[in-house]
Amino acid sequence: MTNRALGRKKSEFVAKASVDAGSYLDYVVNGTNYRISYDNFVSGLGVTGSIVQDGAVTGAAILDTQGTVNNIRNIENGSGISAEISPENGVILSHNFTQDATGTPIFLDTTADSPTFVSLVAGNGIGITSTDDYVTIRQVGVADYANVTMHGNSTETVIASTATAVKVAGTFVVGDESGLTGSTNGRITHNGGTTRHIINSIISLTVASGTNHTVSMYIAKNGTIIQSTKTTATTSSGLYRSMATFANLELDDGDYAEIFVRNESTTDNLIVLDAIIGAF
């Protein structure tokens, strides 16, 4: 038997804020009355359950609740992070790094799920230290050395005062060097942290004129002669004297050593024919 409404009206409903368990809802289709349980009605709408945030409260929320509207935020690219839609309609979050093609890479397998950052291993003569947020690579265990030489020089070293030693004049040739730097002006410069070096020097010199001049040579650090390196000889014009000296110096980065000479007798100029200065 089919029940029809036949135009009857329902009225005087009692207001409620919720639906009681076991309740039914009625509806009409083509003049026929039907009823459906509230549970089946909600299930048919596909709105069972609730949408709430989950996970750590300090995280970035995907759900953005604004009053009665629940917004689902888009996922955007960040620094080093790429977001894209997969062929299966999912969201793929990937790292987004670039490895330079020059030199030896320290970041391997950039397309892998878990890329590898390589470790640095110190090779022979190399030291590696990690401090705070940087890595220091330095040369260790390898001797520092340098030498500069001059032969057949005729440039006079000008003597302005018998009391003052001056740097040897002439053009030098830079020899082998490692950790120390030689220059054509006769200077050897230390590079890097504080290190103690042995400085050796030998010269052949004469005076431009006159006889029986007392002459001296020194090693100088940063333009200042070291008195303890003084060696002295007597010479006359045309008579070349060989002189040698050395120094044990503590050098900081940028410190340098040179050869200085002095005419203690007169202001006649000196000529250093040959010269060698080396450091190790």
Side-chain angles (χ1 to χ4, degrees):
M1 176 178 176
T2 301
N3 296 321
R4 298 183 180 278
L6 300 177
R8 287 177 298 203
K9 180 175 68 174
K10 298 188 290 183
S11 61
E12 297 184 1
F13 291 96
V14 177
K16 295 197 66 177
S18 62
V19 178
D20 295 333
S23 297
Y24 285 83
L25 303 176
D26 63 75
Y27 60 97
V28 178
V29 178
N30 295 328
T32 301
N33 293 334
Y34 296 93
R35 72 172 186 166
I36 183 173
S37 70
Y38 176 74
D39 291 340
N40 287 338
F41 174 71
V42 172
S43 178
L45 292 177
V47 294
T48 57
S50 59
I51 301 176
V52 296
Q53 298 284 6
D54 198 8
V57 296
T58 56
I62 301 300
L63 179 65
D64 177 27
T65 301
Q66 300 291 335
T68 60
V69 178
N70 291 319
N71 299 304
I72 299 177
R73 292 188 171 100
N74 287 336
I75 297 176
E76 300 178 353
N77 296 336
S79 178
I81 300 296
S82 173
E84 59 181 332
I85 304 301
S86 72
E88 293 78 19
N89 206 32
V91 177
I92 298 176
L93 297 179
S94 306
H95 57 80
N96 187 21
F97 299 109
T98 300
Q99 173 67 57
D100 187 81
T102 304
T104 302
I106 62 173
F107 185 46
L108 304 180
D109 304 323
T110 57
T111 60
D113 290 340
S114 180
T116 301
F117 286 91
V118 302
S119 298
L120 300 178
V121 178
N124 184 36
I126 299 296
I128 301 176
T129 55
S130 178
T131 305
D132 297 330
D133 57 355
Y134 61 90
V135 175
T136 301
I137 301 175
R138 68 190 188 282
Q139 184 183 39
V140 296
V142 176
D144 294 337
Y145 55 85
N147 70 82
V148 294
T149 61
M150 180 172 65
H151 299 289
N153 175 57
S154 60
T155 302
E156 296 183 7
T157 299
V158 177
I159 304 297
S161 169
T162 59
T164 304
V166 294
K167 183 176 177 296
V168 168
T171 300
F172 287 74
V173 175
V174 178
D176 295 334
E177 54 185 16
S178 173
L180 295 162
T181 302
S183 62
T184 57
N185 66 356
R187 176 179 295 179
I188 292 180
T189 302
H190 171 68
N191 307 305
T194 302
T195 307
R196 185 165 291 278
H197 293 284
I198 301 296
I199 313 296
N200 291 306
S201 179
I202 185 171
I203 65 174
S204 175
L205 86 164
T206 187
V207 290
S209 61
T211 59
N212 297 323
H213 290 267
T214 300
V215 294
S216 304
M217 73 170 292
Y218 306 82
I219 290 174
K221 174 183 175 182
N222 298 335
T224 301
I225 62 172
I226 302 169
Q227 289 291 344
S228 61
T229 65
K230 178 181 178 180
T231 59
T232 304
T234 301
T235 188
S236 301
S237 177
L239 177 62
Y240 287 90
R241 292 290 191 186
S242 294
M243 305 174 68
T245 188
F246 80 98
N248 187 343
L249 301 181
E250 185 175 87
L251 301 179
D252 294 324
D253 186 37
D255 286 349
Y256 56 90
E258 298 168 307
I259 308 170
F260 274 50
V261 292
R262 174 185 170 194
N263 187 339
E264 299 184 23
S265 299
T266 71
T267 56
D268 290 332
N269 293 340
L270 299 179
I271 301 173
V272 177
L273 178 69
D274 300 313
I276 301 174
I277 181 171
F280 63 91

